[in-house]
Amino acid sequence: MFRTDHSTTMTSTVAATTAASATAATATATATALITATASATAAEPVGPGAGPTAVPKEHVHKRAADEVLLTGWERIAEDSYRISARWPRDHRTYGARNGYHDPMLLVETVRQTFPLLSHVAFEVPMGHHLIWDHFSYALIPAGLRAGARDAVPAQRGGDRSAGRGHDEVQVDAVCQDLVRRGNRVVALTLAYVVTRDGEPIATAQTRFTVQAPAIYRRLRAGRGDAREMMARAVPLAPPIPVARAGRALPREVALSATDRARRWQLRVDTNHPVHFDHPVDHAPGSLLLDAARQAAQALSHPAPVVAVAMECDFTRYVELDEPCTVEVTQLPRDPARRDRAGVILQQGNGAPSCSVIVTVAPLPTG
């Protein structure tokens, strides 16, 4: 049970997120219709650079390890509408398939990689600028996560490590909305997505983020913007909770450490993690916070294994590396489809939450 202050915070979060969900649903529906119309009109004549999809270098998705790049190509299909191809490796080092189904965090990471890609190639945001997450949501069809479907691509001898036992190909159609410019510089935008496999929609998503120039970012971080220094000051890594409770396969994948209170954990920030800290970062990355939230929802459902079929997340403060961060979960009323929901708050000190997440779960498919 949350303390009174946390209950009040979660009640406010649920109300705000419900309103945001309605807005996001409307925006996503509009985007879906626009994507469908533009795809039909332009399928034979891509209008991106060149005659077809352009390859994606690792620098454009802010990754150092080439095998962590999930995106394989992109093209512009209409004004402010883009088609991105991606692959989901079935044996990803952190988000590997479970029970024959892909980890939803592959969807999250696929969408996240589109932020820097489109910022740089479509909206001319210079390298070195910082992309700050404000809001993120997704909803997916569990069957769409089935690994090794008929679009599966087998591993190639001599191929890179990410291919492993093969991968599944997905298509991401994105529409840019609510673009804000200051002069000729993009400072904020919303992206709405439809994700398909073999021509069938399997997920929708929406995100809002801002863009900060390096000098502005340094002022905002107020002495905490040196990534290597902040990583050196990170809170010592605490022991993980049991892997089964977190729904993970290996202890290094667990983002939660036990505290003396039920339904409350400490965030484990492993600055040597090959995915979350693929490159130096001065704060806990959003991917880690979302991973911790879905693990908290799994712990709440334990021992029943579940899959996070939807998330609604608001990022309000940076999670600093040199301060402990608590992760607290409460059971929320079920959604209209009678699926369980969990409210998760990540907080440092006694201030406002750094991140608030509503996670909707369904039983993990078994066949």
Side-chain angles (χ1 to χ4, degrees):
M1 182 69 66
F2 279 136
R3 296 172 302 189
T4 302
D5 55 337
H6 280 190
S7 297
T8 302
T9 299
M10 181 51 70
T11 300
S12 301
T13 298
V14 171
T17 304
T18 299
S21 298
T23 302
T26 301
T28 302
T30 302
T32 302
L34 180 58
I35 287 168
T36 301
T38 56
S40 299
T42 62
E45 297 184 33
V47 292
T54 301
V56 178
K58 61 185 181 180
E59 294 79 10
H60 282 174
V61 297
H62 296 181
K63 285 292 185 181
R64 282 191 170 180
D67 60 1
E68 287 302 319
V69 179
L70 302 179
L71 309 186
T72 57
W74 74 277
E75 59 186 312
R76 184 164 64 92
I77 58 174
E79 187 67 25
D80 290 335
S81 297
Y82 304 89
R83 175 158 295 157
I84 301 133
S85 55
R87 64 178 184 178
W88 288 355
R90 298 198 288 276
D91 63 347
H92 187 272
R93 70 177 80 189
T94 297
Y95 306 136
R98 184 165 61 134
N99 279 15
Y101 285 79
H102 285 294
D103 190 325
M105 287 299 295
L106 278 181
L107 169 66
V108 173
E109 177 61 13
T110 299
V111 172
R112 188 212 63 78
Q113 289 187 13
T114 69
F115 309 166
L117 172 68
L118 294 179
S119 294
H120 296 314
V121 303
F123 303 111
E124 300 180 338
V125 172
M127 291 290 185
H129 279 50
H130 296 264
L131 310 182
I132 314 301
W133 233 346
D134 284 347
H135 176 80
F136 174 72
S137 65
Y138 77 78
L140 60 81
I141 300 170
L145 298 177
R146 180 74 177 264
R150 62 194 180 100
D151 64 336
V153 178
Q156 300 295 317
R157 178 172 297 184
D160 69 343
R161 182 185 181 281
S162 67
R165 295 189 304 274
H167 60 268
D168 296 299
E169 297 180 343
V170 299
Q171 177 178 288
V172 182
D173 285 339
V175 172
C176 176
Q177 303 167 328
D178 302 325
L179 184 72
V180 178
R181 294 182 183 271
R182 187 167 296 142
N184 61 357
R185 183 171 68 89
V186 173
V187 296
L189 68 152
T190 297
L191 289 167
Y193 302 86
V194 176
V195 183
T196 60
R197 283 181 67 184
D198 197 30
E200 295 295 328
I202 63 168
T204 59
Q206 190 195 51
T207 188
R208 179 76 178 173
F209 61 94
T210 59
V211 183
Q212 303 291 352
I216 295 174
Y217 184 79
R218 285 193 296 271
R219 291 200 296 270
L220 289 174
R221 295 297 285 132
R224 280 179 151 166
D226 187 309
R228 296 188 185 280
E229 178 184 343
M230 293 307 300
M231 290 172 67
R233 290 163 49 183
V235 172
L237 193 61
I241 65 173
V243 292
R245 183 170 292 274
R248 309 309 300 137
L250 298 171
R252 73 175 188 186
E253 299 170 358
V254 177
L256 306 175
S257 181
T259 69
D260 59 0
R261 293 185 56 181
R263 300 186 177 185
R264 185 179 185 181
W265 303 271
Q266 180 176 317
L267 179 68
R268 299 183 74 240
V269 182
D270 181 1
T271 57
N272 292 314
H273 195 281
V275 176
H276 299 311
F277 288 87
D278 163 87
H279 58 280
V281 185
D282 62 32
H283 58 276
S287 60
L288 174 59
L289 307 186
L290 292 177
D291 201 0
R294 67 83 175 258
Q295 289 185 29
Q298 171 61 74
L300 186 63
S301 299
H302 184 73
V306 294
V307 59
V309 296
M311 278 194 188
E312 286 278 348
C313 181
D314 287 303
F315 302 92
T316 51
R317 295 185 175 189
Y318 296 103
V319 173
E320 305 295 354
L321 300 180
D322 58 350
E323 298 178 13
C325 177
T326 59
V327 182
E328 195 155 1
V329 65
T330 188
Q331 191 78 58
L332 299 179
R334 288 179 169 176
D335 76 352
R338 304 295 298 164
R339 298 177 301 188
D340 288 337
R341 296 192 306 158
V344 184
I345 287 179
L346 292 91
Q347 185 169 13
Q348 292 185 301
N350 296 317
S354 298
C355 179
S356 303
V357 191
I358 295 177
V359 186
T360 304
V361 300
L364 179 69
T366 57

